[in-house]
Amino acid sequence: MIQRNELPLLLTGFMATLAGVGLARFGYTALMPQMVQAGWFSGEQVAYLGAANLLGYLFGALAAARLAERLGMLRTLAWSWAATALSFAACARPDLPGLGADLGMAWFFVWRCISGVTGAVLMVLGPSMAMAAAPLPRRSVLGPLMFCGIGFGALLSATLVPALARLSLTAVWCAMALCSALAWSVGLTQARRFGSPAATAARAAGPAPGAAWSAAVVLVMLAYMCDAFGFVPHTVFWVDYLAREQQLGTAYASTQWAFFGVGAIIGPLAAAFCATCFGWWGTTTGAYAIKTLAIAMPLFWAGFAGHATSSFLVGALSPGMAAITSGYLMQLIGPQQHKRMWGYATAAFALMQATSGYFMAWMYAGLGTYRPLFAIAGCALLLGTIMIATSRAQPKTAAA
């Protein structure tokens, strides 16, 4: 049960993940086939625009802490929420006056990259700021709920995009801008209620101690990078693959994206439950194995049930994997070193994610099909599963 005085914390983190990834990235995934069918861009171009967001996410993950130090947490969050909303509004028309086709592509690329930067900043700072102000016993409850904003954004885009696309794509982009602005308003209002105490607590904590680079920790880091590489086909190309390549239509693809969103809402909550039942090593190993199967599933189970199962499981294990991997690292190295090590893991994840996005966009441009990407992604997750399975070590703390 969430207490009334915890609502500002929860809503700050929730609105940050909702705007940062739920809308800024996953909203575009639902838009990709619509943009091709409307003649805004070609299939290859929308793939590269999807990768632009991942590139921006890398820069944002690396810059978030420094921006917070220079501008302050609240100001950085406010500008990031505002820029996310502006990035949608700036892409509301493909034929901006004075811009040709090539410049129009560049215009969209810049704004998709900006949305990636601000999305990473929101993802890093929003939940972190809220969790720093939360009582220690309540963090395991509030944390997963904050990350449910990712799934809610995916579910919102799955319903909003096909409904408004009947009017025009401009209406869709404007609606996304409005939703982002609403998240900005609610999130910033709630963050101001506890911003100063959280910042004071963060400053009082002082610098984190040096990281413990054990073999188990290195294996977990490498496995998390494999996850970053492998989940790109579903989170960037899945809707376009179903709607255009499989010729199943945008309504079918949007339904599958809704299954992804539902999974992304449930995943973080299920992660905490499984960890209490099976332990962090067992939960993490099982999660990687299930995600390997789910990502490769389109290669051998192509019906509605197969697509829905794949959508739901990958959705659940997208934000869920972050919670699981973070918890496993906490057990291996202890809470004192966790913040710094998790920062390294997030930066490595963002780097591999951006690399995968551009590699797979390049492959699609050359092959003209998404299907081989799922095989490559499945192999990456299988490698990650093997690393996690062999990473079991005596933890330095009993905290889970």
Side-chain angles (χ1 to χ4, degrees):
M1 179 68 69
I2 301 300
Q3 301 172 10
R4 184 164 183 170
N5 64 340
E6 295 173 338
L7 280 177
L9 307 176
L10 174 60
L11 287 174
T12 298
F14 185 90
M15 292 301 169
T17 61
L18 169 65
V21 172
L23 294 176
R25 182 187 304 172
F26 291 161
Y28 177 79
T29 302
L31 267 165
M32 287 175 66
Q34 306 277 2
M35 293 172 67
V36 175
Q37 292 174 3
W40 282 30
F41 298 104
S42 67
E44 292 81 2
Q45 287 176 319
V46 296
Y48 278 113
L49 289 174
N53 181 269
L54 304 183
L55 178 63
Y57 195 90
L58 169 61
F59 294 143
L62 296 174
R66 184 168 297 179
L67 287 173
E69 290 174 0
R70 292 192 175 186
L71 303 177
M73 279 277 202
L74 277 175
R75 186 174 297 176
T76 303
L77 284 172
W79 278 106
S80 297
W81 266 310
T84 300
L86 183 60
S87 72
F88 280 111
C91 296
R93 289 183 57 184
D95 54 344
L96 293 173
L99 293 182
D102 291 338
L103 289 178
M105 174 69 179
W107 173 266
F108 269 69
F109 186 94
V110 168
W111 283 106
R112 291 305 302 153
C113 192
I114 289 174
S115 72
V117 173
T118 59
V121 172
L122 289 170
M123 279 292 294
V124 171
L125 298 184
S128 176
M129 177 180 175
M131 291 289 283
L136 186 60
R138 298 292 294 168
R139 291 178 182 178
S140 61
V141 176
L142 294 173
L145 291 176
M146 293 177 193
F147 283 95
C148 289
I150 297 173
F152 188 80
L155 187 59
L156 182 64
S157 65
T159 54
L160 196 64
V161 170
L164 292 179
R166 299 171 187 171
L167 300 175
S168 70
L169 287 188
T170 297
V172 177
W173 284 101
C174 290
M176 289 292 187
L178 184 61
C179 290
S180 299
L182 181 62
W184 171 24
S185 175
V186 174
L188 186 58
T189 299
Q190 299 303 317
R192 282 174 173 160
R193 297 186 177 184
F194 66 91
S196 295
T200 301
R203 287 193 297 268
W213 288 98
S214 66
V217 169
V218 171
L219 285 171
V220 172
M221 292 282 196
L222 292 174
Y224 196 46
M225 292 175 71
C226 289
D227 177 51
F229 188 93
F231 90 140
V232 167
H234 270 73
T235 55
V236 179
F237 307 125
W238 183 234
V239 174
D240 197 40
Y241 166 74
L242 294 174
R244 293 195 306 114
E245 184 167 321
Q246 296 297 300
Q247 298 181 346
L248 296 171
T250 55
Y252 181 96
S254 295
T255 300
Q256 295 299 327
W257 194 237
F259 281 117
F260 182 98
V262 172
I265 293 174
I266 295 174
L269 304 178
F273 173 79
C274 290
T276 60
C277 295
F278 308 111
W280 284 111
W281 175 82
T283 298
T284 309
T285 303
Y288 272 82
I290 292 171
K291 196 169 186 179
T292 300
L293 181 65
I295 284 177
M297 201 171 286
L299 300 174
F300 58 85
W301 191 9
F304 180 88
H307 290 152
T309 303
S310 181
S311 296
F312 178 83
L313 290 176
V314 178
L317 291 172
S318 290
M321 195 66 86
I324 291 168
T325 306
S326 176
Y328 187 31
L329 276 176
M330 176 78 78
Q331 187 189 49
L332 288 173
I333 62 179
Q336 294 301 317
Q337 302 181 78
H338 178 265
K339 182 179 180 181
R340 174 169 294 187
M341 293 302 292
W342 185 239
Y344 293 153
T346 300
F349 186 94
L351 174 61
M352 188 55 67
Q353 180 181 244
T355 301
S356 177
Y358 277 93
F359 171 74
M360 293 191 177
W362 172 77
M363 279 202 67
Y364 174 72
L367 299 175
T369 174
Y370 289 119
R371 192 171 177 83
L373 306 186
F374 295 99
I376 296 172
C379 290
L381 262 295
L382 178 59
L383 179 60
T385 303
I386 295 171
M387 291 177 178
I388 290 294
T390 57
S391 69
R392 192 168 194 173
Q394 184 67 33
K396 292 190 176 183
T397 176

